[in-house]
């Protein structure tokens, strides 16, 4: 089992849930946990949750590609109102 909070440094290939929690397949291993947070695009989460109501809902999402960048440095002097 994973600790209370863990980062899995591999692409998740499959998720499944049962009475004991969640099984996460990634990097050729199976990890088990009580809960999982999917921090990815809706279409990727939909594939991982295929066959569930959540997966069906996520398949209906549409979004434009977007990147959010946070930049902090002493010389980051953008004009007021930029961004």
């Amino acid at each position: 089992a994973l600790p209370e909070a863990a980062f899995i440094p591999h692409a998740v290939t499959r998720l499944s849930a049962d009475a004991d929690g969640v099984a996460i397949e990634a990097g050729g291993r199976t990890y088990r946990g009580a809960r999982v947070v999917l921090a990815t695009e809706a279409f990727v989460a939909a594939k991982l949750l295929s066959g569930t109501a959540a997966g069906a809902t996520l398949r209906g999402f549409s979004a434009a590609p977007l990147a959010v960048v946070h930049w902090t440095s002493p010389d980051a002097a953008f004009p007021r109102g930029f961004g």
Side-chain angles (χ1 to χ4, degrees):
L2 293 171
E4 187 172 321
F7 173 76
I8 299 172
H10 303 285
V12 174
T13 54
R14 187 169 185 271
L15 291 174
S16 59
D18 57 29
D20 296 326
V22 181
I24 305 151
E25 294 181 21
R29 295 183 55 193
T30 300
Y31 302 88
R32 295 210 48 95
R35 294 171 295 280
V36 65
V37 173
L38 295 177
T40 189
E41 297 96 333
F43 76 93
V44 174
K47 288 178 187 177
L48 292 171
L49 298 171
S50 65
T52 68
T57 299
L58 289 166
R59 275 194 304 280
F61 282 25
S62 61
L66 175 70
V68 177
V69 178
H70 296 275
W71 179 20
T72 302
S73 72
D75 62 341
F78 293 111
R80 184 174 177 85
F82 179 81

